[in-house]
Amino acid sequence: MPHGEGHDSPASFLPLLRTSAGRLLATAAKLSDEDVRAPSLLPGWSRAHVLTHLARSADSRHRLLVSARSDADLPQYADEGRRAQEIEEGAGRSAAVLLDDLDSSLHRFLTAVGEHPDGAWEVPVRWLGGGLRPARGAVGSMLREVEVHHTDLATGHGPADWPAFFVARELETTVRKLCEDPDAPPMALCADEDRVLRVVGDGPGPRVTGPAAELLGWLTGRTDGRALTVRPSGPLPTPPPWRS
């Protein structure tokens, strides 16, 4: 099947990513200089840190797409230290400069996605901490960055606002990673939308049920899980720290 087709193709993410990026930019445009200095939901990061991180995330994936369709060997980032330095340096800028940077970076990346040759999606590129993986992952992972970090801005955008397509895909990805994590507590997860039992860990564990978006929000550390139901009655298990 051509990569421009199919449920999980890069092209299938692009319209949704454009919409999500537009919503993020609309939120960012409402933030004042005082607002961007306020704390985000991420410990130690202001909203300005989050906005800078999103801009650099888009730039990093643009590099991967350029690398995939050219002879240039461009890693996603030089290293973790340089990535952290760029975020810290960028977090001191004004709200207007942060918005312009984010707008330009997202536009550049979205344009590159739309122009990317069908035959270059499977080209392996150098991801930070992930080694060589196909370039196709840049689109879906950018959608994850935009939606989850939009929530981290603490402006009211939460799991209930996450697109259903994104929630369904990310819930399966997150559960798969939990199943591979020896530190994950035993539990059975069941989303109201499909009633599929997703078993994690060895041995018996509580059943946690609720809307798929609330399950994903809890597993990713973006909500406290109070909208979920645990059976038998008791405290929610403690998922290991989530990393996108």
Side-chain angles (χ1 to χ4, degrees):
M1 178 181 290
H3 295 304
E5 302 173 10
H7 179 69
D8 201 27
S9 69
S12 71
F13 290 106
L14 187 52
L16 189 55
L17 180 53
R18 286 193 180 112
T19 298
S20 292
R23 294 199 298 174
L24 170 66
L25 289 168
T27 292
K30 297 176 183 177
L31 300 177
S32 66
D33 287 342
E34 182 179 1
D35 291 334
V36 298
R37 302 278 86 81
S40 73
L41 295 184
L42 295 175
W45 271 17
S46 67
R47 286 170 173 151
H49 283 87
V50 174
L51 294 171
T52 302
H53 168 59
L54 282 163
R56 299 292 75 78
S57 291
D59 287 345
S60 79
R61 285 162 175 78
H62 179 259
R63 279 193 292 276
L64 294 179
L65 295 189
V66 171
S67 179
R69 62 176 184 244
S70 70
D71 293 329
D73 182 15
L74 303 174
Q76 184 181 16
Y77 295 97
D79 53 48
E80 280 279 7
R82 180 57 184 158
R83 172 179 174 270
Q85 181 183 351
E86 288 180 343
I87 294 170
E88 197 60 43
E89 290 175 350
R93 297 173 297 171
S94 69
V97 173
L98 288 163
L99 175 61
D100 183 65
D101 181 26
L102 181 59
D103 190 4
S104 297
S105 294
L106 286 172
H107 178 76
R108 186 161 49 245
F109 176 68
L110 291 169
T111 299
V113 172
E115 296 174 348
H116 200 71
D118 283 349
W121 285 115
E122 297 302 322
V123 174
V125 290
R126 286 200 283 151
W127 293 79
L128 180 66
L132 289 172
R133 289 188 282 119
R136 74 192 326 264
V139 188
S141 64
M142 193 66 222
L143 177 62
R144 181 190 310 123
E145 291 283 305
V146 168
E147 284 297 332
V148 173
H149 290 313
H150 193 169
T151 294
D152 290 334
L153 290 175
T155 55
H157 183 87
D161 301 301
W162 293 348
F165 175 87
F166 164 77
V167 170
R169 181 177 184 274
E170 288 303 317
L171 182 60
E172 295 309 315
T173 299
T174 301
V175 170
R176 184 172 65 250
K177 289 180 179 179
L178 284 174
C179 289
E180 297 168 354
D181 188 340
D183 294 327
M187 54 184 169
L189 308 173
C190 185
D192 293 342
E193 289 84 348
D194 59 18
R195 310 303 299 172
V196 172
L197 204 61
R198 300 165 174 87
V199 179
V200 174
D202 296 325
R207 179 178 293 203
V208 182
T209 62
E214 292 295 336
L215 283 170
L216 183 60
W218 168 62
L219 292 173
T220 58
R222 267 59 190 184
T223 68
D224 59 11
R226 68 179 61 190
L228 303 174
T229 301
V230 186
R231 293 287 184 270
S233 183
L236 282 164
T238 302
W242 180 84
R243 181 177 173 85
S244 64

